[in-house]
Every structure is written in structure tokens, then in C-alpha cells.
């Protein structure tokens, strides 16, 4: 019945889109996307793909701030700087215990995801991001391991030489930043530095973040460009107030668990990365990219980890990583284009675990070297059968090798050494039919995979060493939708279905030693809708939503809803620019999320919540000088809500409280020459 209702809704919207588009003769606004590994308009892309443009005002400290308003994407802010933003797309990544998994991350074509499929956005300098592209559906699987969706960040390119300094602050936060751009005839240089500090929303939640970025671009010819980039991030302290139980949250959502102070839970992160790319955008474009980086993490957890079989309550990790990727577009014949590509990447993790002696480092409990190596090859085919009809398809092969060397073998603690290879392939096929200059229909189907991460392979449920029996999860999915666009409207509606097999879930958690197993099948079905409408020269509206049914499909969890996944989300933004002498922009935002279950057995859930934000900004130009001011109020009604949940938390503390009402302001001064 639910599926029939979705089909009826989609059919009704299709009729509405087609009728309205016939009556309008407005030119189509072109939005460039990369769903098929080659630039094309949003209307011609055969997939659910959307772009968020980042405004240059505000306190940007959480990637969830940039990802609201994308249908199918659930971006949950933990309001806890020791933990990464929780992201899931159509259910992919919803049960990640830490970091982001199930979603492929990249910035300017350079992967932010490790070979095992896990990634994070905490070290990205968000203020330099110009746009974020989110690809959902079957074509995403062609990006490789753990690509249930793709989130691609694009750095802002300088249009002129300028220097900008800004200051922002709120009740809890303060931020200083400077950006410099020097643009020449054949090259450009960008420098950015930022310092962020916060007292935190709860006791024992202070944090500090320092970031810097250098970007250099050189034009070798009219079509050939060389890019060199260096990113540096240092978080000297990120205190962790820990999540709350449902009872604690209802009693006082601003409290901090006593164990946070008892064990002095906090985290320190340092990361640096250098990357280089060569891009040719001629009739036969190609791209070549290399990167190398290092990430250091020190973290104290909320337990001693004193048991000999524990991984310890204090973590020390040094990760070295590097990679190379390239692709070449071959014009086979006039209507057929092929994109050939390959990549190789590797991470080396040197990991130690110690007893957390109530905030002091104790005895050794873990000593390992873990390596993940990935080799990929792919082919993408784009066939323009006619001016209206285009076909797209692709195939990707992945060879992923894990090597775990355990050097801590003592008494009852077993040898957790081992190795495992995963040989996987992904494939997808899509079609796009453009009825006219404003309306298009698309459909696609594909098969993808998600291997276990290094952390999930570490321990077997029977404590017999490394979990080598853990298999990759596979998924089969399809989607179909309509897109409509003219000078005033951009709208889309999509239906999707995703069936997974061998999903990876937690099997047991004891003394910091968490093991995983392959679960039964899951089934996710839903509908997504987006409508951007320019009401007049001064007003515009942006609405996005999704409804999804995500359930386990057999065995002991039959019929249970997937934890961490909201069945419904609605985001709406209203922008108003009054016609007055002083330029102003007013924005009102609202966001609704339905309840979210915290565990596989659906024993507890975070309640539904509706929140509102308001923002006002202004900008003035005085010859070479530019001045910007902004004022923002988050959570206007001071709603108590759960910002994010910790899925399958063994101790029952699954709620990460959201923030209360907060006023923030900022000013930026720039000089352009």
C-alpha cells in the first residue's frame, strides 16, 4: 500500500510538471554537475543530484550547516566537537559508530574517504567551500567502495586580487579568519587561515580548532591547468561531554555525564595534506591527481580499558595515507563518449591503546599496524542517441587488501593479526529523456558494495582474533524521477528502492572491544522532492523533503526499522531582499525531522523535532572596500531536541543533545585591487 501511495504521488507530480512546463517558454538555467564524470546541465543528468551554494557569512564550524536542504540527506549535528557530524543518505552511513562511512567524500576531485570507505569532514576549512554537490542513487556506486552516495566539495575560485578579514562570535563561540587572493594573468594564489574557539554547550565541552590552506593554480595553456594545494588543521583540545541516556536527556539536556570528568574524555587531532592535480578541459579532457597526508589522533574514552582483552581507554593513532588517480575522456564516435579511469590508494595506521587511569596514561593494551590498499579501474559510457534521449552506464572493479599486524599478544589477549582481500565490482545503467527545454525524465539501476572498515575487522564476536569472516555488504537499487526547470522554478521528484544483503552491524560491545557481524537483508523505499521558486525579484523559496521506509527484511530483525534513519524530513527556506537603499537579505529557515530509533531492536527513539532559524545580512561597497555584516538566531523557539543519536550504544547513552536558542553576529572587511 505504501508503495502504491508513492507511485500515485509521483504520477500526480509528473502530470503537474508536464502541464506547467508546456505553458512556459522561459530559458533554462544551466547548473553544471558531474554525475557522469563529465560536465553537463542539471536537467540532462540522469540522476538525483543537487548543489548547495555556500554563503560567505556565518559561523561555519559544522559540515551539517552546509548540507541542509538536500533531499534524502540527513545531516545531524552532534553539538559535540569531539565527534564528527553524522551523515546518512537514503540510509547509507546511518549506523556509523564514528566518522562517515557508506558515503564517498571528495574535495576538488581529491578523495576524503579512505580505501576502507571511512572518511570525515572535521578537518575541512568550510569557509573556502563554494558549493557542495550531492549525488544519490545507482550512479553513485561507480565511485567505488562504500559509495552509497557522493558528497563533492568545490573550493571557491578567486575572481580578483583581494584580502578579507572577518570576526564572528556568539554566546559560546568566537572565530577569526583572514583570506588572501592574488590573481595574475596565468596564475592565482589563495591563502586562508582560521581560528575557532568555543566554551561548548555543556560542561566539559570546550574546543579549539586552527586551520590553514594554500591553493596555487597555474595555466600551462588555454586548456591545461596545474593545481597545487596544502591543507593543515590542528585541534589542540576537543572535550567530549558524552552522549546521554533518554532519561538523562529528558531530565536535563544540558547536563554532562559524570564519567566525562572522571576519565577526562577529550580528543586531539592534527592533520596535514598536500595534493597536486593536472586538468585538461579540451575536446579530449583528462585529469591526473596525487595526494599524500598524515593524521594524528589522541583520544581518552570514558572507561579504563584495563582488561587484558580490551583495546584500552586511551587511543593513539598515526595514519599515513597517499594515492593517485586519473581519467581520460575518449570520443569514440560522434554520439558515444567513453571515460576511462583508474586509482590506487593506501593507508597505514600505527595504533596504540593504553589504560585510561582516570585521565592519566596507564599500561599498554593495544599495539597494531593496520594497512589498507586499494586498486580500482572503471569505464563510463555516455551515449547521446538523439537530442532528447541519452544513455549512461558504467562498470568499476575494486581490489581491496587489508593487512593487520598485532604486536600485543599477552595472556588471554589473542593474536589479532590477519589479512583479507575483497574483490568487488559495481555497475550501473541510466537513461534520460528530455521532453522539452524545461522537463526531463530519468531512470537508473545499479549494484554496489561496502566492505568492512579496518575498525570492524579488528575483533571477532567469539574473541578468537581478527574478524576475517566478515563479508562485504552488497546493494541493488533503482530510481526514477522528473526534473523541471525554468527562470523561476527548479523542481524534482524521485522514487527509489534499495535492497541490501549482508549489512554490517554491531554484534557485541564489551570493555571498549566492539565486534561486528553481517546481518540480514534490508529494504529502503522512498520518495524525494525539491522545489526552488523565485516568487518575485525580492523573494524566493526553497523546499526539500523526503519520506522513506527503511526496514530489516528477514531473520530475527524482520520488520524493525533501521536505527539512525528518520522516516521523514522537511526543510524550507524563505529569502527576502527588500527594495531599500541599504541592501539587506533576510532568511527564515525551518527544519522538521521525524523520530529516529537508536538500536536495531527499536527499543528507544529520539522524538521528532521542528526548529526555526533566522538570519539577516547586509553588504556595502565603497570603491575598493567591501563591508559585510550579519546577525543570526538559531533555534528561535528554544526547542529541546536530540541533535543526533549514537546507534547501538551498549551503555544506553544514545542521545546527543541539540543546541538551545543562540544569537550570533559577525563582520567582514575586504579590500580588492
Amino acid at each position: 500500500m505504501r508503495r502504491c501511495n508513492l507511485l500515485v504521488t509521483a504520477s500526480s507530480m509528473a502530470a503537474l510538471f508536464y502541464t506547467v512546463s508546456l505553458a512556459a517558454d522561459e530559458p533554462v538555467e544551466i547548473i553544471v554537475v558531474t554525475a557522469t564524470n563529465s560536465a553537463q546541465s542539471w536537467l540532462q543528468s540522469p540522476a538525483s543530484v543537487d548543489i548547495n551554494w555556500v554563503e560567505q557569512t556565518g559561523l561555519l564550524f559544522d559540515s551539517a550547516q552546509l548540507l541542509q536542504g538536500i533531499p534524502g540527506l540527513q545531516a545531524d549535528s552532534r553539538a559535540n566537537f569531539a565527534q564528527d557530524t553524522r551523515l546518512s543518505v537514503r540510509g547509507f552511513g546511518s549506523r556509523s559508530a564514528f566518522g562517515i562511512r557508506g558515503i564517498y567524500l571528495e574535495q576538488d576531485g581529491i578523495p576524503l574517504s579512505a580505501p576502507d570507505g571511512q572518511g570525515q569532514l572535521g578537518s575541512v576549512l568550510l569557509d573556502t567551500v563554494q558549493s557542495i554537490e550531492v549525488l544519490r542513487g545507482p550512479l553513485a556506486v561507480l565511485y567505488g567502495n562504500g559509495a552509497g552516495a557522493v558528497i563533492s566539495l568545490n573550493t571557491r575560485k578567486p575572481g580578483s586580487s583581494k584580502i578579507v578579514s572577518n570576526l564572528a562570535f556568539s554566546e559560546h563561540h568566537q572565530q577569526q579568519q583572514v583570506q588572501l587572493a592574488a590573481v595574475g594573468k596565468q596564475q592565482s594564489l589563495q591563502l586562508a587561515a582560521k581560528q575557532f574557539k568555543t566554551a561548548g554547550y555543556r560542561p566539559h565541552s570546550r574546543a579549539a580548532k586552527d586551520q590553514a590552506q594554500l591553493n596555487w593554480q597555474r595555466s600551462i595553456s588555454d586548456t591545461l591547468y596545474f593545481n597545487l594545494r596544502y591543507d593543515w588543521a590542528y585541534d589542540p583540545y576537543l572535550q567530549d561531554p558524552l552522549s546521554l541516556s533518554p532519561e538523562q536527556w529528558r531530565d536535563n539536556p544540558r547536563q554532562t555525564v559524570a564519567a566525562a570528568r572522571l576519565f577526562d574524555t577529550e580528543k586531539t587531532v592534527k592533520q596535514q595534506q598536500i595534493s597536486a592535480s593536472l586538468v585538461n578541459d579540451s575536446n579530449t579532457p583528462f585529469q591526473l591527481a596525487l595526494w599524500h597526508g598524515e593524521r594524528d589522533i589522541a583520544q581518552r574514552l570514558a572507561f579504563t580499558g584495563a582488561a587484558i582483552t580490551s583495546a584500552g581507554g586511551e587511543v593513539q593513532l598515526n595514519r599515513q595515507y597517499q594515492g593517485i588517480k586519473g581519467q581520460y575522456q575518449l570520443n569514440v564516435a560522434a554520439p558515444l563518449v567513453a571515460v576511462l579511469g583508474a586509482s590506487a590508494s593506501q593507508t597505514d595506521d600505527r595504533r596504540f591503546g593504553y589504560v585510561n587511569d582516570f585521565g592519566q596514561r596507564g599500561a599498554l593494551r593495544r599495539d597494531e599496524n593496520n594497512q589498507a590498499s586499494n586498486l580500482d579501474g572503471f569505464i563510463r559510457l555516455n551515449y547521446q542517441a538523439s537530442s532528447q534521449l541519452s544513455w549512461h552506464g558504467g562498470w568499476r572493479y575494486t581490489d581491496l587488501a587489508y593487512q593487520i599486524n598485532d604486536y600485543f599478544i599477552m595472556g588471554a589477549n589473542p593474536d589479532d593479526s590477519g589479512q583479507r582481500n575483497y574483490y568487488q565490482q559495481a555497475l550501473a545503467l541510466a537513461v534520460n529523456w528530455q521532453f522539452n527545454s524545461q522537463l526531463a525524465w530519468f531512470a537508473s539501476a545499479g549494484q554496489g558494495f561496502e566492505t568492512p572498515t579496518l575498525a570492524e575487522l579488528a575483533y571477532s564476536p567469539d574473541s578468537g582474533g581478527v574478524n576475517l569472516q566478515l563479508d562485504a555488504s552488497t546493494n541493488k537499487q533503482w530510481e526514477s524521477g522528473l526534473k523541471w526547470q525554468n527562470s523561476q522554478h527548479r523542481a524534482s521528484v524521485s522514487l527509489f528502492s534499495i535492497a541490501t544483503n549482508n549489512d554490517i552491524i554491531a554484534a557485541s560491545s564489551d570493555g571498549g572491544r566492539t565486534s561486528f557481524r553481517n546481518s540480514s537483508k534490508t529494504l529502503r523505499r522512498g520518495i524525494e522532492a525539491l522545489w526552488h521558486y523565485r516568487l518575485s525579484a525580492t523573494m524566493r523559496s526553497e523546499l526539500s523533503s523526503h519520506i522513506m521506509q527503511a526496514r530489516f527484511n528477514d531473520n530475527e530483525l524482520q520488520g524493525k526499522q533501521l536505527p539512525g534513519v528518520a522516516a521523514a524530513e522537511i526543510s524550507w527556506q524563505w529569502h527576502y531582499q527588500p527594495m531599500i537603499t541599504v541592501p539587506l537579505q533576510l532568511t527564515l529557515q525551518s527544519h522538521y525531522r521525524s523520530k529516529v530509533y537508536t538500536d536495531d531492536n527499536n527499543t528507544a527513539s529520539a522524538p521528532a523535532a521542528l526548529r526555526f532559524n533566522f538570519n539577516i545580512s547586509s553588504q556595502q561597497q565603497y570603491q575598493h572596500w567591501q563591508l559585510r555584516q550579519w546577525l543570526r538566531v538559531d533555534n528561535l523557539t528554544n526547542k529541546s531536541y536530540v541533535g543526533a543519536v549514537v546507534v547501538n550504544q551498549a551503555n544506553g547513552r544514545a542521545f546527543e543533545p541539540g543546541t538551545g536558542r543562540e544569537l550570533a553576529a559577525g563582520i567582514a572587511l575586504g579590500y580588492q585591487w
Side-chain angles (χ1 to χ4, degrees):
M1 179 62 70
R2 180 63 170 260
R3 186 177 182 182
C4 292
N5 291 339
L6 293 176
L7 291 171
V8 170
T9 303
S11 300
S12 301
M13 294 191 73
L16 173 64
F17 282 2
Y18 189 66
T19 301
V20 177
S21 68
L22 290 176
D25 296 316
E26 310 294 342
V28 176
E29 177 188 2
I30 301 299
I31 298 178
V32 176
V33 296
T34 54
T36 57
N37 277 88
S38 57
Q40 60 185 163
S41 74
W42 175 76
L43 202 62
Q44 293 174 331
S45 60
S48 295
V49 58
D50 290 287
I51 294 180
N52 264 5
W53 299 93
V54 180
E55 297 183 6
Q56 297 186 57
T57 58
L59 272 162
L60 289 179
F61 50 82
D62 188 336
S63 56
Q65 297 172 272
L66 309 183
L67 291 166
Q68 301 296 340
I70 298 288
L73 190 155
Q74 184 178 326
D76 295 339
S77 175
R78 298 180 187 268
N80 178 353
F81 294 93
Q83 302 294 333
D84 290 317
T85 303
R86 192 175 171 281
L87 300 180
S88 66
V89 180
R90 294 183 177 178
F92 287 107
S94 62
R95 293 198 300 279
S96 177
F98 38 81
I100 299 167
R101 61 161 300 172
I103 302 170
Y104 181 82
L105 307 173
E106 67 174 19
Q107 184 171 17
D108 299 330
I110 305 296
L112 298 175
S113 294
D116 64 356
Q118 192 159 333
Q120 52 82 35
L121 294 173
S123 298
V124 173
L125 185 51
L126 301 174
D127 305 77
T128 63
V129 174
Q130 182 179 41
S131 64
I132 300 179
E133 182 178 331
V134 180
L135 170 64
R136 313 177 298 284
L139 287 182
V141 305
L142 297 177
Y143 280 79
N145 180 29
V150 177
I151 296 179
S152 181
L153 312 180
N154 301 297
T155 302
R156 184 175 290 106
K157 301 296 188 294
S160 59
S161 298
K162 61 181 178 180
I163 183 170
V164 179
S165 177
N166 66 60
L167 172 67
F169 55 90
S170 71
E171 178 185 352
H172 301 98
H173 314 310
Q174 63 179 37
Q175 172 183 296
Q176 301 86 35
Q177 184 178 183
V178 61
Q179 295 187 35
L180 171 67
V183 180
K185 198 169 185 180
Q186 291 184 301
Q187 61 185 343
S188 65
L189 177 68
Q190 290 176 274
L191 292 169
K194 175 180 176 179
Q195 182 182 68
F196 172 81
K197 291 183 178 181
T198 178
Y201 300 104
R202 296 190 280 155
H204 197 80
S205 62
R206 291 188 308 122
K209 299 171 74 73
D210 301 323
Q211 294 173 284
Q213 184 183 98
L214 180 148
N215 259 310
W216 179 61
Q217 184 181 81
R218 171 79 179 184
S219 299
I220 300 174
S221 68
D222 290 341
T223 60
L224 188 61
Y225 306 93
F226 175 75
N227 297 279
L228 181 66
R229 174 173 168 159
Y230 176 74
D231 291 275
W232 177 86
Y234 177 47
D235 304 339
Y237 60 89
L238 305 169
Q239 290 184 325
D240 189 351
L242 302 178
S243 51
L244 304 177
S245 68
E247 295 75 21
Q248 290 171 328
W249 177 79
R250 283 190 288 268
D251 180 58
N252 177 14
R254 297 292 172 260
Q255 69 177 292
T256 291
V257 177
R261 294 190 182 91
L262 181 64
F263 293 100
D264 193 19
T265 52
E266 69 170 22
K267 182 178 178 181
T268 299
V269 182
K270 187 174 183 178
Q271 179 167 324
Q272 57 181 333
Q273 176 178 304
I274 186 168
S275 57
S277 60
L278 191 64
V279 180
N280 187 329
D281 59 4
S282 65
N283 292 330
T284 55
F286 69 82
Q287 298 177 16
L288 179 65
L290 304 95
W291 62 94
H292 173 79
E294 181 178 9
R295 182 173 174 85
D296 288 290
I297 299 176
Q299 184 173 17
R300 283 194 294 268
L301 306 172
F303 50 82
T304 62
I308 197 67
T309 56
S310 170
E314 180 177 334
V315 177
Q316 291 281 334
L317 171 67
N318 173 263
R319 166 170 287 185
Q320 302 278 339
Y321 61 94
Q322 53 273 322
I324 182 172
K325 60 178 284 191
Q327 69 177 51
Y328 176 75
Q329 181 172 308
L330 179 64
N331 298 319
V332 181
L336 179 62
V337 173
V339 180
L340 306 174
S343 67
S345 59
Q346 179 177 298
T347 60
D348 288 277
D349 292 356
R350 193 72 176 97
R351 184 184 293 269
F352 296 92
Y354 301 92
V355 173
N356 181 354
D357 192 6
F358 304 101
Q360 300 297 317
R361 178 177 295 182
L364 184 68
R365 285 295 181 267
R366 188 175 188 179
D367 182 359
E368 290 180 2
N369 193 82
N370 303 330
Q371 185 181 92
S373 302
N374 188 52
L375 292 173
D376 276 80
F378 73 87
I379 181 171
R380 302 283 295 263
L381 297 173
N382 305 327
Y383 179 68
Q384 191 71 40
S386 68
S387 59
Q388 293 179 302
L389 179 65
S390 61
W391 292 88
H392 307 265
W395 172 81
R396 190 180 193 110
Y397 178 78
T398 296
D399 179 354
L400 177 61
Y402 289 138
Q403 177 69 51
I404 299 174
N405 296 311
D406 186 4
Y407 305 117
F408 186 75
I409 307 165
M410 184 179 298
N413 189 69
D415 185 353
D416 289 319
S417 300
Q419 60 183 20
R420 174 76 190 262
N421 282 69
Y422 293 88
Y423 306 101
Q424 304 289 150
Q425 58 181 337
L427 59 150
L429 179 66
V431 61
N432 191 80
W433 177 271
Q434 193 161 341
F435 296 107
N436 53 42
S437 62
Q438 300 171 4
L439 181 68
W441 166 82
F442 68 92
S444 61
Q447 177 176 302
F449 63 94
E450 184 177 0
T451 67
T453 65
L454 278 168
E456 291 163 349
L457 284 175
Y459 303 115
S460 172
D462 58 6
S463 299
V466 67
N467 198 1
L468 296 179
Q469 67 270 28
L470 202 57
D471 292 324
S473 170
T474 58
N475 63 81
K476 294 180 179 179
Q477 50 181 306
W478 64 261
E479 73 168 346
S480 181
L482 288 158
K483 297 178 183 178
W484 168 50
Q485 182 178 4
N486 60 28
S487 62
Q488 290 180 291
H489 302 268
R490 182 163 69 92
S492 66
V493 60
S494 304
L495 283 172
F496 65 88
S497 177
I498 304 167
T500 69
N501 195 24
N502 284 332
D503 233 341
I504 300 169
I505 66 173
S508 63
S509 181
D510 182 22
R513 190 181 182 112
T514 303
S515 62
F516 295 83
R517 65 180 178 89
N518 291 110
S519 78
S520 58
K521 302 175 181 178
T522 68
L523 181 63
R524 306 169 216 158
R525 291 173 174 166
I527 183 170
E528 299 169 350
L530 176 142
W531 183 25
H532 290 190
Y533 175 37
R534 182 170 291 280
L535 293 85
S536 67
T538 60
M539 288 189 290
R540 58 189 173 92
S541 173
E542 300 174 7
L543 178 68
S544 67
S545 64
H546 76 254
I547 299 173
M548 180 167 58
Q549 184 186 73
R551 297 183 182 276
F552 290 101
N553 206 29
D554 65 1
N555 294 341
E556 73 277 10
L557 297 173
Q558 174 73 39
K560 300 290 186 181
Q561 295 190 36
L562 263 65
V565 179
E569 274 199 294
I570 303 174
S571 293
W572 173 75
Q573 294 188 48
W574 174 77
H575 304 271
Y576 176 57
Q577 291 178 294
M579 303 292 287
I580 57 178
T581 305
V582 179
L584 287 177
Q585 176 166 306
L586 287 74
T587 301
L588 179 64
Q589 301 171 315
S590 66
H591 181 263
Y592 169 80
R593 188 193 67 191
S594 64
K595 72 176 181 180
V596 177
Y597 285 103
T598 63
D599 60 3
D600 293 332
N601 289 307
N602 298 171
T603 58
S605 64
L610 173 64
R611 294 175 287 118
F612 298 90
N613 303 323
F614 177 75
N615 183 79
I616 181 171
S617 62
S618 179
Q619 179 174 303
Q620 300 87 39
Q621 187 82 32
Y622 305 98
Q623 296 182 347
H624 295 286
W625 294 91
Q626 185 182 74
L627 183 65
R628 295 196 310 268
Q629 316 90 31
W630 58 268
L631 186 70
R632 181 180 177 90
V633 183
D634 287 329
N635 195 0
L636 270 169
T637 61
N638 202 24
K639 172 76 174 180
S640 290
Y641 69 100
V642 177
V645 300
V646 183
V647 173
N648 288 329
Q649 181 77 310
N651 58 27
R653 297 199 310 265
F655 285 8
E656 294 273 14
T659 61
R661 180 168 48 233
E662 184 172 24
L663 175 68
I667 186 169
L669 179 64
Y671 181 81
Q672 180 176 309
W673 68 92

